[in-house]
Amino acid sequence: MNNNFRCNCPITSALDIVGDKWTLVIIKQMLLEGKKTFKDFSESDEAIASNILSSRLKMLEQFKIITKEKLTHNKKTNIYLLTEKGLGLTPTIIELTLWSDLNIREHHSSIISDSRIEMVKKNKEESIKMIVEFYKQKTDYNKT
Amino acid sequence: MNNNFRCNCPITSALDIVGDKWTLVIIKQMLLEGKKTFKDFSESDEAIASNILSSRLKMLEQFKIITKEKLTHNKKTNIYLLTEKGLGLTPTIIELTLWSDLNIREHHSSIISDSRIEMVKKNKEESIKMIVEFYKQKTDYNKT
DNA sequence: TATTTTTGCTTGTAAAACAAAAGTAATAAA
DNA sequence: TTTATTACTTTTGTTTTACAAGCAAAAATA
């Protein structure tokens, strides 16, 4: 299991898993945009190719960052959900968002500001909890 | 300046800059390992190829995440330092470290735990300030 | 049964990463 | 003052990965 890691640094090892062009984008789409099916991801603004999406979802499932389930009355559509491990990336994603909001606009003027950013700026810890709780509630609801 | 960004999402746009295999590794090496010259980075455990290193440093300089300076009495060695914008990534790096510390060990048993992790767990905000202040002090010292 | 939707694979092409080596300029050593 | 070393930077050829477009199987729907 120790293969494919560049070295023994925890940060570098985390980046060996989520440090690529697409992985955190997919996790963001699940966490903040409510996406959960292959089609949801395929139709996103980011326009990920289906083969890349397929391989990333497989990898994330192997690392237990997401699960792949099916609805009881639909045997075709796969439902991809963040695990606790995946939800543990919420603070990282929130910090990246805050950094981007402050620092990227000068290079990318048409960037959109999520309404939740103001909430996060006011009370970071509470907002993170709320985002995670909201995700869990929503996915419970959708499963039944 | 709006080119090369996949879409208007702040998170995706941040990842268009730092979302690759090497960029956050280089920033980590500067922030937490005191690396500041081309040679420092070249000799790291992660073993980045020199041409990739060169292109990433150039990109980071263009985005004003790092600066490239020279010491007064050495016209050869370039000193790469994090700007305020670059130091703004400290919370992201810290959150990634905490996530890794909790979640990656099961896939990578020989991962090393930085002694600063315990400090960060106890008081996150204060630790981040300390890490940034320490970086600034150290680099001021090295410049004179 | 025929059609559509969803998922994800295949194929050919383009881009990026990579290792190794060569190039360049500053500095140090003989 | 030649020679060697150091610190980067670029080049070269190879491998890997990304990508778009199209294809196909399974299941749902008409």
Side-chain angles (χ1 to χ4, degrees), chain B residues 16-31:
Chain B
D16 284 331
I17 298 174
V18 302
D20 73 281
K21 195 177 165 183
W22 288 111
T23 302
L24 283 176
V25 169
I26 292 170
I27 293 170
K28 173 214 73 165
Q29 291 177 345
M30 299 176 84
L31 180 67

Side-chain angles (χ1 to χ4, degrees), chain A residues 26-43:
Chain A
I26 293 170
I27 293 170
K28 173 214 73 164
Q29 291 178 345
M30 298 176 84
L31 181 66
L32 300 176
E33 296 167 9
K35 301 195 172 168
K36 52 189 187 304
T37 66
F38 197 91
K39 198 185 172 224
D40 288 342
F41 302 120
S42 290
E43 289 172 348

Side-chain angles (χ1 to χ4, degrees), chain A residues 38-39 50-51 54 58 68 76-78 80:
Chain A
F38 197 91
K39 198 185 172 224
S50 68
N51 52 351
S54 184
K58 220 166 266 175
K68 181 162 120 181
K76 186 165 51 167
T77 309
N78 295 318
Y80 299 95

Side-chain angles (χ1 to χ4, degrees), chain B residues 34-50:
Chain B
K35 301 196 173 170
K36 52 188 187 303
T37 66
F38 197 93
K39 200 186 169 223
D40 288 341
F41 302 120
S42 290
E43 291 171 346
S44 70
D45 290 346
E46 284 91 353
I48 184 168
S50 66

Side-chain angles (χ1 to χ4, degrees), chain A residues 68-79 143:
Chain A
K68 181 162 120 181
E69 301 177 14
K70 289 208 194 294
L71 298 176
T72 24
H73 299 300
N74 182 331
K75 288 177 187 170
K76 186 165 51 167
T77 309
N78 295 318
I79 306 291
K143 261 197 276 186

Side-chain angles (χ1 to χ4, degrees), chain B residues 93-109:
Chain B
I93 287 173
I94 292 300
E95 292 296 352
L96 249 197
T97 311
L98 291 171
W99 181 77
S100 183
D101 190 61
L102 268 174
N103 296 290
I104 306 239
R105 205 160 265 110
E106 66 176 297
H107 304 289
H108 185 192
S109 56

